[in-house]
Amino acid sequence: MTRSSHCPYCALQCAMSLTPAGARIEVAGRDFPTNRGGLCKKGWTSAEVLDTTDRVTRPLRRVDGGFEEVSWAEALDDIARRLRDIRSSHGADAVGVFGGGGLTNEKAYQLGKFARIALGTSRIDYNGRFCMSSAAAAGNRAFGVDRGLPFPVEDLDDARTILLLGSNVAATMPPFIGHLAGARAAGGLVVVDPRRSETARLTEDGGGIHVQPAPGTDLVVLLGLTHVVLAEGLADSAYLAERTVGLDELRREVNRWWPERVQEVTGVPAAQLRQVARRLAEGRAFILTGRGVEQHVDGTDTATAAINLALVLGLPGRVEGGRAVSGYGTLTGQGNGQGGREHGQKADQLPGYRKITDPAAREHVASVWGVPPESIPGPGVPAVELLGMLGREVKALLVHGSNVVVSAPDAAAVTRALDELDLLVVCDFVPSETALLADYILPVTQWAEEEGTMTSLEGRVLRRRRAIDPPAEARSELWVMRELARRLDAPGTWSTDAAEVFDELARASAGGIADYSGLSHARLDEGVAAFWPYPAGSAGTPRLFEDRFAHPDGLARLVAVIPRLREPGAQRGGELTLVTGRLLEHYQSGAQTRRVPELVTARPEAALQIHPATASRLGIASGDLVEITSPRGVTRARAEVTSGIRHDTVFLPFHFPGAERANTLTEAAVDPVSAMPEFKRTLVSVARVEEVPA
Ligand SMILES: Nc1nc2c(c(=O)[nH]1)N[C@H]1C(S)=C(S)[C@@H](COP(=O)(O)OP(=O)(O)OC[C@H]3O[C@@H](n4cnc5c(=O)[nH]c(N)nc54)[C@H](O)[C@@H]3O)O[C@H]1N2
Ligand SMILES: Nc1nc2c(c(=O)[nH]1)N[C@H]1C(S)=C(S)[C@@H](COP(=O)(O)OP(=O)(O)OC[C@H]3O[C@@H](n4cnc5c(=O)[nH]c(N)nc54)[C@H](O)[C@@H]3O)O[C@H]1N2
Ligand code: SF4
Ligand SMILES: [Mo]
């Protein structure tokens, strides 16, 4: 029977039909507002991972020189015993939990609960910290709520202008470019990227403008645009007076960023800044940010500056004829990057996007969990700090849905630290680079083998359905958590039925910012368009901010942000700036897509993009093997000489492990507000490597 489901990868959550054909399933695109029937290469080939040849199908225990198969009972008994021992010798916080934005809402919720009341640890965080935390912090600060897109994605279709900062949707969410068609036809797609990315190239047919600043200078670009809007009288004064606070201080800060000064810092011509600002002020404009501007030590401030620009222009919350006609949003990345940041796997958070420090939130959630509020630990530490504690304060780590050996900053240090642990348990369905370091690998079910829900980049809650039976010994993580909770004598109930867990999540979220209490699997199965907040008795909230922002006074905050310009030479490293990012063919650490033959054939290895002038100065030709060196380490890749990048910048994808690992080079420096690491700016040197013929 054909099942309606959604893609296992990114936050666009393209709709699919899954039809079992013998032991395999056939994937077809299905019409849906986000993808309109389209899928990218990764989506088309996603079913290949279900029966990949090295799929983990039984619990594995580390032995000298490899792994041996063990029964579930043996594995779980031993893990529970060792967790108890670590806890009694070092305290409950010596056990850490690392979650993922790919987990369903049900699993993410249960993992937060499991950490707090079965393990009693505060030390849970997740890979969304690498991904969404800066934009989330900026959204919370300005609007009082963090929903990536506060409007359905199809509202972008009628835009005249879309300013896309640090986002390469043509490679990272291909069907999304359908929603750029209106702006392109109107000549109004503006792409800000130091590279002529696939998305920047969409502007070349006269459909828009490519702005090419030096990496890490977007905050200044945004201050310059805001300066022009205010200086040329293009601001929406009535909107600012009625709907915002903080204009005076903002005006003082941006006064100092006239276009010629911005040009000096960023390399963006003053005339181009004026052109973009004027264009945005013509109305029907959207401003969208991606990881390119967020994964920096000033990512929260940069996202804030983008929101300030949007507010000064009066864009957010403008709804006409039942559609948002302008606005600001961030393009959430992982499949459940949105839901994954709402239900409690974040160090400082309880379900419903509640604060773990809020006594009323603790009381409400404790009553749902059936525990006393004081038994819920306080806030833990963010991901990079948690990884920095491995082998020291943290002796055991449970990993659910992340491959940190490849994807964490300063990955060589993380790999060494994982080795120092007394116990590493990884739930996965493939032997990822992280799983291969574990004491136990526990085989879990994949997307098409289990029921659950995801929340798309627009805050739309979706049903994923089981279409195929899992391998006999693979188990849902809900089952793994139940079995461990039982062995740890945990309080509370631990359902293994996703619909029941959803109902509990809905109760726990009731009254919170991300309120799901009006939803259930059954309700979703009726096909409602379910945008949160969706309190019981409501019809959900496709568009936020029409009447008010989520702060108690209903007003948005303009937060004056100041660039912390680095003195030349203040950061150690070579003379080139390395930015890292994504290729169309691979997903994240590549644990899944490097197992799909078609994708591997298309992109077998990492390539370093480098400008022809820079390459010739360094004696490098396309195809040469090069070594990239930062203060953290050395990585190898083939050179791809291209004029589509600035002279001072090189680009490396982060999907590859081992000697090609981009994160060998990155530093564990983080944004002070969000604790998001700086993946997009590392100083490196590049040199050609002599290849000895075999
Ligand atoms: N194919 C594919 N698609 C994916 C993913 C994947 O791994 N592969 N991952 C998903 C996830 S989790 C995420 S978070 C999204 C990410 O989606 P994107 O944000 O689109 O992806 P990135 O490639 O990380 O970065 C986007 C662009 O930022 C640019 N950039 C780098 N530094 C700067 C800078 O300082 N300023 C500016 N303005 N731009 C800069 C890069 O050149 C790059 O083109 O993609 C999702 N979709
Ligand atoms: N240099 C550099 N580094 C980056 C970035 C960058 O732009 N540059 N981007 C960062 C960003 S935005 C992100 S989101 C991270 C992502 O990087 P990771 O956190 O490593 O994400 P994935 O590669 O998706 O890893 C998911 C792992 O979990 C498994 N998995 C998938 N679904 C499930 C499930 O339901 N349960 C369990 N238990 N396992 C599952 C997969 O097989 C895979 O091994 O990388 C970050 N790292
Ligand atoms: S764009 Fe994202 S959700 Fe859509 S098919 Fe590709 S990976 Fe899947
Ligand atoms: Mo991400």
Side-chain angles (χ1 to χ4, degrees):
M1 191 176 79
T2 296
R3 292 299 190 119
S4 297
S5 196
H6 293 269
C7 177
Y9 299 120
C10 86
L12 199 57
Q13 283 300 290
C14 297
M16 296 175 157
S17 300
L18 305 178
T19 311
R24 306 177 64 99
I25 54 174
E26 278 167 14
V27 172
R30 181 165 63 85
D31 191 41
F32 194 69
T34 64
N35 64 314
R36 300 201 175 114
L39 297 175
C40 79
K41 265 188 193 177
K42 299 185 298 302
W44 284 117
T45 56
S46 54
E48 299 274 324
V49 187
L50 293 166
D51 58 358
T52 183
T53 48
D54 63 349
R55 172 125 192 217
V56 185
T57 53
R58 287 169 190 281
L60 298 175
R61 174 167 59 200
R62 167 167 304 285
V63 287
D64 275 347
F67 289 93
E68 64 176 4
E69 292 181 355
V70 290
S71 72
W72 273 103
E74 214 181 320
L76 293 165
D77 287 347
D78 189 43
I79 292 167
R81 183 186 57 75
R82 289 165 73 176
L83 287 171
R84 278 178 189 277
D85 286 352
I86 289 167
R87 183 171 165 163
S88 64
S89 320
H90 304 284
D93 269 351
V95 177
V97 178
F98 203 96
L103 302 179
T104 58
N105 288 314
E106 291 81 356
K107 292 195 253 181
Y109 164 80
Q110 199 80 326
L111 192 62
K113 170 178 166 182
F114 178 79
R116 271 58 170 250
I117 68 170
L119 298 170
T121 182
S122 71
R123 293 200 174 134
I124 173 169
D125 211 52
Y126 78 125
N127 67 4
R129 188 70 70 171
F130 299 164
C131 180
M132 292 319 304
S133 53
S134 287
N140 283 323
R141 203 154 76 169
F143 303 130
V145 63
D146 150 41
R147 199 181 93 188
L149 293 183
F151 46 79
V153 74
E154 67 262 37
D155 287 5
L156 294 169
D157 296 351
D158 304 330
R160 264 200 94 240
T161 304
I162 297 180
L163 173 62
L164 204 50
L165 296 130
S167 161
N168 185 14
V169 279
T172 55
M173 299 185 176
F176 183 92
I177 65 176
H179 301 288
L180 302 177
R184 287 173 70 192
L189 176 65
V190 185
V191 178
V192 183
D193 198 310
R195 289 193 305 144
R196 193 163 72 232
S197 64
E198 290 86 336
T199 311
R201 272 185 249 140
L202 299 178
T203 65
E204 285 169 6
D205 56 4
I209 305 169
H210 177 203
V211 178
Q212 212 170 356
T217 64
D218 301 86
L219 175 49
V220 176
V221 171
L222 287 159
L223 292 171
L225 292 171
T226 310
H227 176 101
V228 175
V229 170
L230 290 172
E232 298 193 359
L234 304 173
D236 187 334
S237 318
Y239 178 99
L240 284 167
E242 277 164 34
R243 307 210 53 186
T244 72
V245 290
L247 180 62
D248 292 342
E249 206 184 331
L250 179 79
R251 195 189 290 277
R252 265 197 302 281
E253 287 306 332
V254 302
N255 262 345
R256 303 189 287 137
W257 292 100
W258 58 93
E260 286 69 20
R261 181 165 180 227
V262 170
Q263 174 174 340
E264 233 166 80
V265 176
T266 65
V268 178
Q272 194 179 51
L273 288 165
R274 292 198 171 90
Q275 182 193 5
V276 172
R278 289 171 193 158
R279 172 89 202 182
L280 285 168
E282 286 169 17
R284 302 191 92 82
F286 289 86
I287 299 176
L288 303 175
T289 59
R291 299 311 81 73
V293 296
E294 296 164 7
Q295 289 172 329
H296 289 277
V297 288
D298 60 1
T300 303
D301 284 352
T302 303
T304 298
I307 295 173
N308 288 340
L309 174 62
L311 288 171
V312 165
L313 290 161
L315 308 182
R318 209 176 275 288
V319 178
E320 287 168 22
R323 285 166 81 92
V325 295
S326 60
Y328 163 82
T330 177
L331 298 171
T332 295
Q334 295 185 85
N336 199 26
Q338 181 68 55
R341 63 190 200 257
E342 299 164 2
H343 302 303
Q345 59 174 333
K346 214 171 169 182
D348 54 354
Q349 203 191 57
L350 288 174
Y353 222 122
R354 291 182 151 97
K355 286 205 176 74
I356 203 165
T357 48
D358 171 7
R362 296 170 64 85
E363 199 150 315
H364 172 76
V365 173
S367 76
V368 175
W369 288 353
V371 298
E374 58 280 9
S375 72
I376 300 177
V381 296
V384 174
E385 199 178 326
L386 177 61
L387 295 174
M389 289 178 165
L390 302 185
R392 295 200 286 265
E393 297 92 329
V394 173
K395 305 287 183 195
L397 188 71
L398 312 182
V399 179
H400 295 259
S402 182
N403 186 10
V404 287
V405 164
V406 178
S407 59
D410 194 3
V414 170
T415 308
R416 285 193 299 274
L418 287 169
D419 209 44
E420 300 288 306
L421 287 169
D422 295 346
L423 177 66
L424 175 62
V425 180
V426 176
C427 281
D428 210 315
F429 37 77
V430 292
S432 72
E433 286 71 18
T434 306
L436 288 173
L437 300 179
D439 297 293
Y440 282 97
I441 310 179
L442 302 180
V444 291
T445 45
Q446 293 194 40
W447 109 108
E449 299 163 348
E450 60 185 20
E451 300 288 334
T453 63
M454 307 285 277
T455 304
S456 75
L457 77 171
E458 346 146 71
R460 188 196 306 251
V461 188
L462 306 162
R463 269 287 270 130
R464 245 189 211 175
R465 288 179 185 77
R466 174 169 167 148
I468 195 172
D469 290 335
E473 292 289 310
R475 294 285 181 274
S476 153
E477 265 152 313
L478 297 177
W479 183 87
V480 175
M481 285 185 256
R482 203 254 326 253
E483 291 301 308
L484 282 175
R486 213 160 52 79
R487 285 169 170 81
L488 294 166
D489 298 318
T493 52
W494 300 90
S495 174
T496 59
D497 176 61
E500 278 179 22
V501 175
F502 188 94
D503 291 343
E504 187 185 309
L505 175 168
R507 286 200 304 282
S509 76
I513 291 175
D515 188 331
Y516 282 40
S517 60
L519 292 170
S520 63
H521 280 202
R523 181 112 181 81
L524 291 166
D525 287 345
E526 292 164 11
V528 294
F531 292 85
W532 69 258
Y534 205 113
S538 81
T541 319
R543 293 167 189 85
L544 294 171
F545 313 146
E546 186 174 357
D547 305 314
R548 60 193 316 279
F549 294 99
H551 287 299
D553 60 7
L555 302 178
R557 305 284 182 272
L558 293 159
V559 182
V561 286
I562 310 166
R564 286 161 290 149
L565 295 181
R566 277 184 262 222
E567 294 301 319
Q571 190 185 6
R572 288 190 313 129
E575 75 286 6
L576 294 169
T577 302
L578 169 74
V579 303
T580 60
R582 294 160 166 82
L583 303 172
L584 168 62
E585 292 82 0
H586 287 292
Y587 190 67
Q588 314 276 60
S589 71
Q592 289 155 279
T593 49
R594 283 186 280 108
R595 292 182 158 81
V596 177
E598 188 182 326
L599 301 176
V600 174
T601 307
R603 287 287 189 167
E605 58 181 8
L608 181 82
Q609 293 186 346
I610 185 166
H611 191 273
T614 313
S616 96
R617 179 168 62 77
L618 298 171
I620 294 167
S622 249
D624 281 355
L625 188 63
V626 295
E627 243 173 31
I628 309 126
T629 306
S630 84
R632 297 269 70 84
V634 182
T635 292
R636 288 184 167 207
R638 295 271 157 204
E640 178 192 328
V641 178
T642 165
S643 60
I645 192 159
R646 291 172 53 105
H647 291 76
D648 56 2
T649 305
V650 288
F651 174 86
L652 194 63
F654 80 101
H655 311 295
F656 299 92
E660 296 178 293
R661 181 175 64 186
N663 279 318
T664 302
L665 304 166
T666 51
E667 311 255 356
V670 298
D671 178 289
V673 181
S674 66
M676 174 147 172
E678 182 163 61
F679 288 119
K680 296 291 195 264
R681 189 175 180 281
T682 308
L683 298 185
V684 297
S685 53
V686 176
R688 182 167 174 269
V689 180
E690 271 324 314
E691 280 181 275
V692 189

